[in-house]
Amino acid sequence: MRKLLVYLKDYKKETVCAPLFKMLEATFELFVPLVMAAIIDTGIKGGEVSYVLRMGLLLIALGLIGLVCSITAQYFAAKAAVGFSTGLKHALFGHIQSLSFTEIDTLGTSTMITRMTSDVNQVQNGVNMVLRLFLRSPFIVFGAMVMAFTIDVKAALIFVVTIPLLSVVVFGIMMITMPMYKKVQAGLDSVLGVTRENLTGARVIRAFNKEEEEIEQFGKKNAFLADLQLFVGKISALTNPVTYIIINAATIVLLYTGAIRVNEGTITQGQVVALVNYMSQILIELVKLANLIITITKALACANRIENIFEIHSSMTWEEAEDAAGAIASRKDAEQTTGASYVVDFDHVHLTYAGAGAESLSDIDFKVRKGETIGIIGGTGSGKSSLVNMIPRFYDATQGAVRIDGKDVRKYSMEELRQKVGVVLQKAVLFSGTIRENLLWGKEDATEEELWQALTTAQAKEFVEGKDGKLDAPVAQAGRNLSGGQKQRLTIARALVGKPEILILDDSASALDYATDAALRKALRELPGEMTVFIVSQRASSIQHADQIIVLDDGMMVGCGTHEVLLQSCEVYQEIYYSQYPKTEKGGM
């Protein structure tokens, strides 16, 4: 938690004023029993009505001043807590964005969502409660004890015994429940993970009639979380009754002792009432303190989980961005050093994902010249996406090297590499907004002409022109108001807006019909300049006209060449091709 307190640095005034005003409220509250004692001993006993009225007005004044102090403290505490959580969320989101795909895959989406939402909210509540009550409650507890000593030392000794006993109960329960609350948050992660899987895979679950199994699995995890929460809740619930028992027992002893002292003439009836009022104040504040400690326990458990995310650092390090002249010079140096006329070079590359038992790619070795079109084909799970994901450096090679323009991708700055490589992922991802806003992700300062050129190449111009507002037509979250083919064409256009030197189409035309797919490939070939294109596809027709076709099987490159060569020499390619076209056909589309 200590590391997270840095996000309170912009709220120093609030973090001081909130407890300060609470202390002022508590101070006025401590004077109330003394005023009541004076009313009983002087006003009521002496029959002085005017004195009772004056003291009554004083009580009202103490109450009003305390109310103003309390509202002011609440305002400052809330402002500091909300500002703290805002800064923490920004920092946590930024840190997650800085992690590589390896760390994100390892952590999992559900746990990161929980920590960004539920955990941060718990910490926010903890900060709010601490600023309001953490000093106030102990101040009143010990203040009441001190005030009791000013009334009668012998009677005040009851407070000396009661307060440590209550502290043992409260803090003992806190120490027991703190690790349990960590388990509760972990259980919440698990339930959230299952829920997310079921929502995103609802159609698949229904298609295979697995609703009952998924309901049963969710029920088990939810029941485990509920049982854990009930168990922790039962232990936490002991705080209030045990506290009340101790306080009420202490009150009985206090009344008995007070009665004896009054009979002896040592203290007055009003002072006994004041002592009982102080005991009641201690009871109320310790109940508040117990609830506060439960909240703090949850907040600390959540804070530790958030700190664990901050302690995870990206396994990738990036070079500092060079200026334009420096980038051109370094590229020329790389080309001269390596004699590189190849834009992409895989040099005996191996890839093993974190936590995986076996390699996903083994000894991948090929070179690509500028302007070439490379087709990548293979069975499901053969490593096609893994291969192309290494070009923009989503993952680093565990052995070997991936080079662009003769320079290892690990030597590029992120900005330079992202400008060189445009990626269209297997799953089309669009954001809520307009078509224009989505396209400008490819290039922030793109002109209207550049946007329409990209849409034309991506075969999306016709349907965009048909929409109300055209470029300013709305796009729902995840593109839910568009068909699968429309979403894929917009994501391709988005990549083309940036005019990358290397374009990766990772099975991104799977929702397009054959005619549109063929028109897209033709338009890409006719683009000005020499763009190098990687096409990952399950369709042989999509890649058969490529300059090179790389055939993958179980993470290994089993063939590399043109369509005609592979059809003669590569058994895996033959199997894929003839599964889509009769053996009598020698060509394709």
Side-chain angles (χ1 to χ4, degrees):
M1 181 70 184
R2 196 177 303 139
K3 293 179 181 177
L4 303 184
L5 293 179
V6 66
Y7 301 106
L8 274 173
K9 65 181 181 180
D10 294 330
Y11 299 92
K12 292 176 182 176
K13 181 185 74 175
E14 287 78 7
T15 53
V16 172
C17 289
L20 178 63
F21 277 97
K22 272 293 178 182
M23 297 277 275
L24 285 172
E25 179 204 357
T27 302
F28 290 119
E29 193 171 322
L30 286 173
F31 285 116
V32 170
L34 293 180
V35 176
M36 285 300 301
I39 290 173
I40 293 169
D41 292 337
T42 303
I44 296 175
K45 187 177 180 181
E48 297 181 23
V49 178
S50 61
Y51 184 83
V52 172
L53 290 174
R54 286 200 307 274
M55 290 297 104
L57 290 173
L58 179 59
L59 283 177
I60 292 171
L62 288 173
L64 289 174
I65 295 169
L67 177 63
V68 171
C69 290
S70 177
I71 292 172
T72 307
Q74 301 276 34
Y75 169 76
F76 284 124
K79 185 177 179 181
V82 171
F84 165 82
S85 69
T86 302
L88 180 57
K89 283 179 181 177
H90 276 296
L92 185 58
F93 185 78
H95 182 73
I96 290 171
Q97 290 293 317
S98 73
L99 298 177
S100 69
F101 280 16
T102 300
E103 284 75 42
I104 291 172
D105 293 343
T106 304
L107 287 169
T109 306
S110 59
T111 185
M112 286 190 287
I113 291 172
T114 305
R115 295 181 203 210
M116 276 286 298
T117 53
S118 174
D119 285 358
V120 173
N121 288 340
Q122 290 282 8
V123 176
Q124 177 185 326
N125 290 337
V127 170
N128 194 358
M129 294 294 284
V130 164
L131 291 176
R132 287 165 48 195
L133 298 176
F134 192 68
L135 289 180
R136 181 189 190 279
S137 294
F139 180 77
I140 284 192
V141 169
F142 290 104
M145 185 176 69
V146 170
M147 297 299 282
F149 270 101
T150 64
I151 295 171
D152 184 59
V153 173
K154 188 174 180 180
L157 292 174
I158 298 168
F159 289 76
V160 176
V161 175
T162 305
I163 291 172
L165 188 59
L166 288 168
S167 300
V168 169
V169 171
V170 169
F171 287 100
I173 290 174
M174 182 188 75
M175 296 303 293
I176 294 169
T177 55
M178 187 178 289
M180 292 182 180
Y181 279 117
K182 291 182 181 178
K183 291 182 181 179
V184 167
Q185 290 301 119
L188 184 61
D189 282 350
S190 180
V191 171
L192 182 60
V194 173
T195 305
R196 183 174 177 276
E197 286 177 6
N198 278 270
L199 289 173
T200 55
R203 292 184 180 181
V204 177
I205 292 167
R206 290 176 183 175
F208 288 92
N209 194 28
K210 294 290 183 180
E211 292 95 335
E212 292 300 323
E213 292 179 23
E214 291 299 323
I215 290 169
E216 184 181 353
Q217 183 186 3
F218 176 82
K220 287 179 180 177
K221 290 189 178 293
N222 198 33
F224 174 78
L225 177 61
D227 291 342
L228 192 59
Q229 286 178 318
L230 283 171
F231 183 69
V232 180
K234 285 175 183 177
I235 295 174
S236 297
L238 288 173
T239 307
N240 283 4
V242 173
T243 304
Y244 273 100
I245 288 170
I246 295 170
I247 286 289
N248 288 329
T251 304
I252 292 168
V253 174
L254 182 63
L255 286 170
Y256 178 76
T257 305
I260 294 172
R261 303 286 283 171
V262 169
N263 191 47
E264 293 172 350
T266 309
I267 58 176
T268 64
Q269 294 96 327
Q271 289 175 324
V272 173
V273 172
L275 288 170
V276 172
N277 281 340
Y278 281 128
M279 189 64 78
S280 298
Q281 283 185 352
I282 290 173
L283 169 63
I284 293 168
E285 291 307 319
L286 281 172
V287 170
K288 286 182 183 178
L289 189 61
N291 292 328
L292 171 64
I293 286 171
I294 292 169
T295 302
I296 292 173
T297 302
K298 292 179 181 178
L300 288 173
C302 294
N304 289 335
R305 285 160 49 84
I306 294 169
E307 281 184 352
N308 291 340
I309 298 291
F310 279 116
E311 288 168 2
I312 297 170
H313 298 287
S314 177
S315 56
M316 288 185 179
T317 56
W318 293 89
E319 296 292 323
E320 291 294 326
E322 297 178 290
D323 57 29
I328 294 168
S330 64
R331 187 187 307 169
K332 288 181 178 178
D333 290 341
E335 290 177 357
Q336 290 170 1
T337 304
T338 60
S341 57
Y342 302 106
V343 67
V344 177
D345 176 10
F346 273 66
D347 185 4
H348 299 284
V349 170
H350 297 248
L351 173 65
T352 305
Y353 289 111
E359 289 186 332
S360 297
L361 293 174
S362 302
D363 198 29
I364 305 298
D365 188 75
F366 65 88
K367 293 177 173 60
V368 179
R369 294 183 184 277
K370 191 171 185 178
E372 286 188 334
T373 297
I374 309 300
I376 300 174
I377 198 167
T380 303
S382 59
K384 302 185 297 296
S385 293
S386 297
L387 188 150
V388 294
N389 280 340
M390 297 178 75
I391 299 171
R393 206 188 167 200
F394 292 156
Y395 296 94
D396 275 339
T398 46
Q399 292 182 46
V402 180
R403 299 186 185 92
I404 295 178
D405 291 333
K407 182 179 174 181
D408 195 315
V409 292
R410 286 170 285 204
K411 300 297 182 184
Y412 280 97
S413 68
M414 184 183 289
E415 294 80 4
E416 189 180 359
L417 191 58
R418 295 294 180 262
Q419 286 172 1
K420 279 179 171 291
V421 183
V423 183
V424 185
L425 298 173
Q426 202 165 3
K427 182 181 178 182
V429 178
L430 294 171
F431 302 93
S432 58
T434 64
I435 292 174
R436 184 192 304 275
E437 288 169 350
N438 274 274
L439 294 180
L440 289 176
W441 276 62
K443 185 182 176 185
E444 290 183 1
D445 58 349
T447 63
E448 188 130 341
E449 184 183 354
E450 288 175 322
L451 297 181
W452 283 113
Q453 284 176 351
L455 288 168
T456 303
T457 304
Q459 309 304 301
K461 181 180 179 181
E462 184 178 346
F463 87 80
V464 171
E465 284 183 329
K467 287 189 170 292
D468 293 336
K470 298 182 180 178
L471 285 173
D472 295 312
V475 176
Q477 186 179 19
R480 290 193 179 93
N481 58 336
L482 301 171
S483 68
Q486 288 173 337
K487 286 192 285 186
Q488 285 192 337
R489 281 177 280 172
L490 282 181
T491 54
I492 293 168
R494 180 173 61 196
L496 290 171
V497 167
K499 297 178 181 177
E501 297 174 23
I502 301 166
L503 178 65
I504 298 171
L505 303 177
D506 185 3
D507 205 15
S508 53
S510 56
L512 305 183
D513 57 70
Y514 283 94
T516 306
D517 186 17
L520 170 64
R521 285 183 277 112
K522 181 182 178 183
L524 289 173
R525 285 195 299 270
E526 293 173 352
L527 282 174
E530 294 183 279
M531 181 186 291
T532 305
V533 181
F534 285 81
I535 301 175
V536 177
S537 182
Q538 300 283 1
R539 296 176 181 171
S541 62
S542 295
I543 50 96
Q544 70 179 32
H545 297 296
D547 299 296
Q548 288 187 70
I549 299 173
I550 297 168
V551 185
L552 296 177
D553 184 38
D554 197 22
M556 293 182 287
M557 195 168 75
V558 295
C560 183
T562 62
H563 168 71
E564 291 75 14
V565 170
L566 291 172
L567 207 55
Q568 298 296 323
S569 60
C570 182
E571 186 178 336
V572 174
Y573 186 75
Q574 291 170 4
E575 184 181 339
I576 293 169
Y577 182 77
Y578 288 128
S579 69
Q580 299 176 18
Y581 299 101
K583 284 195 176 184
T584 53
E585 289 190 25
K586 293 183 181 179
M589 288 182 66

